[in-house]
Amino acid sequence: MLTLEVHSSRRIFSDVAGDITIVVDGEPFLLHKFPLVSRSGKIRNMVADARDSNLSKLELLNIPGGPQAFELAMKFCYGMNFEITTSNVAQLRCAAEYLEMTEDYRDENLIKRAETYLNEVVIQSLENSIEVLAACETLPPLVEEIGIPSRCVEAIAMNACKEQLVSGLSRLDCDHNESTELKSGCLEWWIEDLSVLRIDFYQRVISAMGRTGVRQDSIIASLMHYAQASLKGINGKCQVWNPAKLKPNPIFAEHEQRSIVEALVSLMPPEKSVSIPLTFLFGMLKMATLLDAAIASRLELERRIAFRLEMVSLDDLLIPSMQSGDSLFDVDTVHRILINFLQRIEEEEDEDCGYESEGIGSPSHGSLLKVGRLMDAYLAEIAPDPYLSLQKFIAIIEILPDYARVIDDGLYRAVDIYLKAHPIITELECKKLCKFIDCGKLSQEACNHAGQNDRLPVTMTVQVLYSEQLRLKNALIGSSGDGLLSQRMSSGVPSAAMSPRDNYASLRRENRELKLEISRMRVRLSELEKEQLYMKQGMMDKTGNGKTFLTSISRGIGRITIFSGGPSGGKRQKNGRKSRGLEGKNGRSRRNSVS
């Protein structure tokens, strides 16, 4: 603190009756003209310009700092002792500027005294600069004209950079020592102090820190702390989103919180220079969605998340939808994140010199496989949502390439859950959904389940049964050629010698052969259905007990089909056709066509 003592006059307020009353924001001050006009140019001009030489009352409007700052300025005029501190120096400096207390009227006037305190005490200290900058928030635009905020911002950035250089050895000691308590103690103390600033001042400080070379990890820690202090519900330690905690903070208006979110997103350093915690990014994204922040801010958060999508947890992706009448989860946001991720993978592949380096074990393909498993788990979680449209569900499935899944068990599980939760889905929609499942990439357990699953269309059931027969045939022939590949693909283990694209090309060749074989079976199935229909009509005409006899005939037909060797196939023919075979010509027979 700096103590001021001016020896120009020993007069105090109560010694002599005042000869002028000055009203500041409705509060009157009984003062004396002489000590005021000797230091304040504004009061001197007002008294001189008055028509009445015996002027006894003046009114000052919009004085910075209000009556408190004016009282300090008057004490200075009267030569009274008072202290300039970090809490009043900004107000006192603005009031002195307003009252024109310059060196033109008296040496060592109030403006010079305030400037001396700012330069020698405030600017030299990081803590004092933050405190003075926070005090500038309540002052009028005059404080910007004087330049106090700008000087404080630059002082904070420079002092923070100096402290990091000085504390470099201490941080090395903290890194060498594995104690968590010591490491937490090495964090910059100013990170917490900056959270008291208004968002516009905070934004200027962080931008200045970036220019002066403050470490990016310190800036990220400051952004996270500011968000946690200003936005209710942002917590880097909590991975599960609680809607009750994401209501706008009553301390801030909703538009102020929206401005905070948008400003913090704009302050985030490039993702390649520092790793921002994913939980923080998802928390910001959920808050941005809740507050209806600018689209550019939300897209930037989605892009940053997509940059490390393979490291995301399932709970983070379960973003509740804020739109009424829509699905329970924000599927559109996840879809956009997935698009950004695939674009990143494509750009990484284009940057490589040759495709030979893009084998199964390459980083990009490894990330793609992780995201494929993550998306299958995500689809299974959102599938029970009764409001989830088929279009959105399929959009997540079809955007991933086939080689993103080594095994389709997760996708099959998600599709089965969706079919179970949406029983009113049409047969055409069911076929459209199930076509994304590659039966050749299902495990033995999944094939067994699919062979007995009445929710699946007959087309897929036939493909599953054929895949089972092909797998059995290859197993009998031996582990060579396509048989080895088929076995490995069915067990979820691809050939390490093949690249993803070669693997995909091999699968396409197998699919073409499979479609050819299915077309042959379709002809055979059509003939069997016609024979069954003719036998049914003939028996109904000749005997009254046609229903019992038809049932036995249907069972016989089921035994002589080409799938009679598989236990799952026989069981399904028996149960499925017995319960629904009599619904009419146009019922189940349409679903037996193979496409």
Side-chain angles (χ1 to χ4, degrees):
M1 299 181 180
L2 180 65
T3 302
L4 292 183
E5 185 174 356
V6 183
H7 300 283
S8 62
S9 175
R10 293 182 177 273
R11 294 179 181 179
I12 56 176
F13 293 103
S14 58
D15 283 352
V16 180
D19 57 1
I20 188 172
T21 299
I22 297 181
V23 180
V24 178
D25 293 340
E27 186 173 342
F29 290 85
L30 184 60
L31 304 170
H32 305 84
K33 293 181 183 178
F34 177 72
L36 303 186
V37 298
S38 64
R39 288 189 176 272
S40 173
K42 186 176 183 64
I43 295 179
R44 174 182 293 189
N45 294 332
M46 292 178 70
V47 172
D49 295 342
R51 296 180 180 179
D52 186 2
S53 59
N54 297 321
L55 178 68
S56 60
K57 186 176 182 180
L58 289 176
E59 184 175 3
L60 299 178
L61 301 175
N62 302 321
I63 182 170
Q68 295 80 10
F70 179 76
E71 182 178 357
L72 292 178
M74 294 303 99
K75 285 183 178 182
F76 180 81
C77 293
Y78 277 90
M80 300 181 66
N81 296 338
F82 69 96
E83 291 180 334
I84 296 181
T85 65
T86 54
S87 60
N88 64 25
V89 65
Q91 296 179 352
L92 197 60
R93 175 64 179 85
C94 291
E97 186 75 19
Y98 178 88
L99 295 172
E100 301 177 14
M101 300 177 70
T102 65
E103 299 298 295
D104 296 335
Y105 302 99
R106 182 69 64 88
D107 292 339
E108 296 294 322
N109 213 342
L110 185 56
I111 289 180
K112 185 175 181 179
R113 292 294 184 90
E115 285 291 335
T116 300
Y117 185 86
L118 285 170
N119 295 328
E120 296 181 359
V121 179
V122 175
I123 302 302
Q124 305 302 322
S125 169
L126 176 57
E127 183 178 6
N128 291 340
S129 299
I130 295 175
E131 188 174 351
V132 172
L133 183 59
C136 293
E137 296 176 359
T138 58
L139 295 176
L142 178 62
V143 71
E144 291 287 354
E145 297 178 10
I146 298 172
I148 297 178
S150 300
R151 286 183 282 174
C152 290
V153 166
E154 295 299 325
I156 293 171
M158 291 300 300
N159 288 322
C161 189
K162 290 178 182 178
E163 284 204 4
Q164 284 194 344
L165 293 176
V166 173
S167 62
L169 293 177
S170 299
R171 292 182 63 89
L172 289 176
D173 293 338
C174 290
D175 293 337
H176 179 71
N177 193 320
E178 295 299 328
S179 173
T180 305
E181 295 181 359
L182 288 178
K183 287 185 178 181
S184 61
C186 291
L187 294 177
E188 286 77 8
W189 56 267
W190 49 261
I191 289 177
E192 183 176 355
D193 288 4
L194 288 181
S195 61
V196 302
L197 296 177
R198 199 172 60 193
I199 184 59
D200 55 338
F201 284 159
Y202 178 79
Q203 190 171 9
R204 291 166 64 177
V205 169
I206 297 299
S207 299
M209 284 184 172
R211 293 193 303 268
T212 55
V214 176
R215 284 192 299 267
Q216 299 291 344
D217 58 341
S218 298
I219 293 179
I220 289 298
S222 178
L223 293 175
M224 294 177 61
H225 191 279
Y226 192 93
Q228 293 172 7
S230 305
L231 304 172
K232 190 175 182 181
I234 301 295
N235 190 344
K237 296 180 180 179
C238 180
Q239 295 186 5
V240 181
W241 183 68
N242 187 351
K245 294 183 178 181
L246 274 181
K247 295 180 180 179
N249 195 331
I251 299 177
F252 298 92
E254 184 174 340
H255 70 278
E256 292 177 346
Q257 289 206 320
R258 185 183 304 114
S259 300
I260 291 174
V261 171
E262 294 171 357
L264 293 180
V265 173
S266 66
L267 292 173
M268 291 180 180
E271 58 272 7
K272 292 184 178 181
S273 61
V274 66
S275 179
I276 304 176
L278 285 168
T279 51
F280 175 64
L281 291 177
F282 273 103
M284 290 291 293
L285 178 59
K286 293 166 185 176
M287 183 61 75
T289 304
L290 177 67
L291 297 172
D292 194 22
I295 297 178
S297 298
R298 283 181 278 177
L299 293 179
E300 174 64 17
L301 290 169
E302 292 173 5
R303 188 188 64 81
R304 289 178 177 270
I305 292 172
F307 191 79
R308 290 182 291 146
L309 185 58
E310 64 272 16
M311 303 171 62
V312 171
S313 66
L314 177 60
D315 290 332
D316 288 332
L317 287 179
L318 298 177
I319 307 173
S321 177
M322 297 299 167
Q323 300 179 0
S324 58
D326 199 0
S327 57
L328 299 179
F329 299 99
D330 192 350
V331 182
D332 294 334
T333 296
V334 176
H335 186 262
R336 289 193 299 268
I337 293 175
L338 192 55
I339 291 177
N340 286 326
F341 168 78
L342 294 175
Q343 290 177 349
R344 187 205 94 188
I345 294 296
E346 184 177 356
E347 291 173 359
E348 290 179 356
E349 290 182 354
D350 293 340
E351 291 176 358
D352 292 327
C353 296
Y355 185 74
E356 290 77 8
S357 60
E358 289 295 318
I360 291 291
S362 64
S364 60
H365 186 252
S367 300
L368 190 60
L369 292 178
K370 290 179 181 179
V371 172
R373 291 191 293 267
L374 177 64
M375 288 299 108
D376 289 346
Y378 175 75
L379 290 169
E381 285 292 328
I382 66 174
D385 179 10
Y387 303 103
L388 178 61
S389 65
L390 180 65
Q391 181 181 1
K392 290 186 176 182
F393 191 74
I394 290 179
I396 300 293
I397 299 176
E398 64 182 356
I399 192 173
L400 280 174
D402 291 345
Y403 53 87
R405 296 181 178 92
V406 175
I407 186 170
D408 275 9
D409 284 16
L411 178 59
Y412 167 72
R413 175 174 175 268
V415 169
D416 186 47
I417 294 174
Y418 186 87
L419 293 177
K420 185 177 181 180
H422 301 79
I424 61 174
I425 189 173
T426 65
E427 183 176 355
L428 182 61
E429 292 174 334
C430 182
K431 289 182 178 180
K432 182 179 179 182
L433 177 59
C434 292
K435 74 177 183 180
F436 295 102
I437 301 176
D438 188 347
C439 298
K441 294 165 65 174
L442 293 177
S443 65
Q444 183 67 44
E445 182 180 1
C447 286
N448 293 339
H449 185 277
Q452 303 177 16
N453 192 346
D454 289 338
R455 288 184 290 271
L456 301 179
V458 177
T459 305
M460 181 175 177
T461 304
V462 172
Q463 292 177 349
V464 170
L465 295 176
Y466 176 74
S467 179
E468 281 290 281
Q469 285 192 347
L470 187 61
R471 182 182 292 121
L472 180 60
K473 176 183 177 182
N474 291 331
L476 294 176
I477 295 176
S479 58
S480 62
D482 294 338
L484 178 59
L485 177 60
S486 177
Q487 287 178 337
R488 288 182 175 178
M489 290 306 298
S490 64
S491 61
V493 182
S495 174
M498 299 184 66
S499 65
R501 295 182 181 178
D502 293 337
N503 212 341
Y504 178 64
S506 177
L507 290 176
R508 292 187 61 182
R509 287 195 299 270
E510 287 187 1
N511 286 338
R512 286 195 295 267
E513 295 174 0
L514 182 61
K515 290 179 180 179
L516 181 60
E517 187 65 23
I518 288 176
S519 63
R520 296 170 183 164
M521 289 190 294
R522 181 178 59 185
V523 178
R524 178 59 178 160
L525 284 174
S526 177
E527 294 175 355
L528 291 174
E529 287 175 353
K530 291 179 180 179
E531 292 178 4
Q532 182 182 7
L533 182 61
Y534 293 152
M535 294 176 66
K536 173 183 174 182
Q537 293 176 349
M539 292 300 100
M540 290 295 293
D541 294 337
K542 293 181 179 180
T543 177
N545 196 17
K547 182 177 181 181
T548 303
F549 186 73
L550 179 60
T551 302
S552 63
I553 293 298
S554 299
R555 292 177 180 175
I557 293 296
R559 295 192 187 99
I560 65 174
T561 58
I562 60 175
F563 306 115
S564 60
S568 59
K571 182 175 181 181
R572 190 182 188 283
Q573 290 287 341
K574 179 178 179 180
N575 296 336
R577 296 189 183 275
K578 183 175 179 180
S579 58
R580 293 180 290 181
L582 300 179
E583 293 177 359
K585 301 179 183 179
N586 300 324
R588 187 63 176 173
S589 60
R590 291 197 185 98
R591 302 189 65 180
N592 288 337
S593 61
V594 181
S595 58

